[in-house]
Amino acid sequence: QVYQVPVLFADRRHADSLIGRVGHGFVHDGLAHAEVVQALLAAGEQTPISAAVVGEQPLVTRWLRAPDHLGTYHLLSVEQSNTSGIFGDEVFVKFFRLLTPGPNPDIEVQAALSHVGCPNIGEVLGWVAGTWRDLRTGEAVTGDLALVQRYYPGSVDGWHLVHQAEGFGPESYALGAAVARVHQDLVQAFGVRTVAASELAARMAARLALAVQTVPQMQQMAGPLHEVIDRVADLAAGPCGQGALFA
C-alpha cells in the first residue's frame, strides 16, 4: 500500500505537526501547513513545478473552476483516513492518505454531479492527480491525490443531522428529497443500463473475494455472504421472471 505524506522540513519545531528530527532540522506533516498545501495545488494547470514531484512524475491540478483567491488555511480534525483543510470560508481541500491507481470514486462521482449542476453536493472546483511507482511491479501508476470543493460554512452532515435534530419529521423529508435529487442527477450524469442478475452477482462475488484477500478475517463471513449473492443470481427465477437489474 502507498500512503501520501507530504513533509515540511523546517529549522524550528511545530509541535502540532512534528514527525521527527533530522540533523539540525525538524520534519513535519506538510498538510498541516498552508505553504505546502498551496504548493501542491499550484502544481496545476497542466504544468509541473519542480518542488512537487512524486517519483519521477509531476503532480497535476485539474481545475473545473479555479478559486479567485485562497484565504487563511486551517486544518480539520474530523477525519481519520483522509486529511482535510479549509481556506477561508470558501475552499475545502481533502487529501487522500491511502493512494490507489485510477480515478478516485469520490472525485469521479462528485465531479460528474457538479457538471450536471447538482445543488445537493459541494461544487467540485478541481482535483490533484499524481504518478508514483507501484511497490510490487515498479511500474508507474497514476491516481488522484486530493479533491478541492466549494465550502459551505455552517453546513451539517446528514448523518449528524439525524442524531442532533429534535422532531426529525421536516428534516427527514428534506433529507429524503435531497437524496432523491442526487439520484436523479446521477442518472443524468452517468446514464442507466440494464444488466443481467448473473452479471451483478459475478461483480459482487469478485468484490467479496478481493475483500477476503485483503482482510483474511472476513473468511468466516464469506459463506453466508455467498448465499446472498447466489440469491441475487437466481433473480431470473423470481416473480418478475426477468432477471435484469438497473445499474
Side-chain angles (χ1 to χ4, degrees), residues 127-171:
W127 61 91
V128 182
T131 303
W132 62 92
R133 294 286 169 181
D134 186 285
L135 297 179
R136 293 170 297 181
T137 66
E139 297 180 352
V141 294
T142 300
D144 294 324
L145 308 181
L147 168 66
V148 186
Q149 290 180 283
R150 180 182 174 189
Y151 179 65
Y152 297 87
S155 58
V156 179
D157 178 82
W159 178 255
H160 291 97
L161 181 64
V162 170
H163 287 272
Q164 294 175 1
E166 296 181 4
F168 187 60
E171 290 84 356

Side-chain angles (χ1 to χ4, degrees), residues 29 55 66 80 161 168 209 218-219:
D29 180 2
Q80 296 179 351
L161 181 64
F168 187 60
M218 288 189 60
Q219 183 63 53

Side-chain angles (χ1 to χ4, degrees), residues 15-63:
D16 56 343
S17 62
L18 180 66
I19 296 175
R21 183 165 189 166
V22 177
H24 298 290
F26 299 91
V27 177
H28 304 84
D29 180 2
L31 297 184
H33 298 268
E35 61 267 37
V36 174
V37 176
Q38 289 174 337
L40 292 172
L41 296 181
E45 299 175 357
Q46 306 300 326
T47 57
I49 57 174
S50 60
V53 294
V54 177
E56 301 174 1
Q57 301 295 327
L59 300 181
V60 176
T61 301
R62 297 183 173 92
W63 291 115

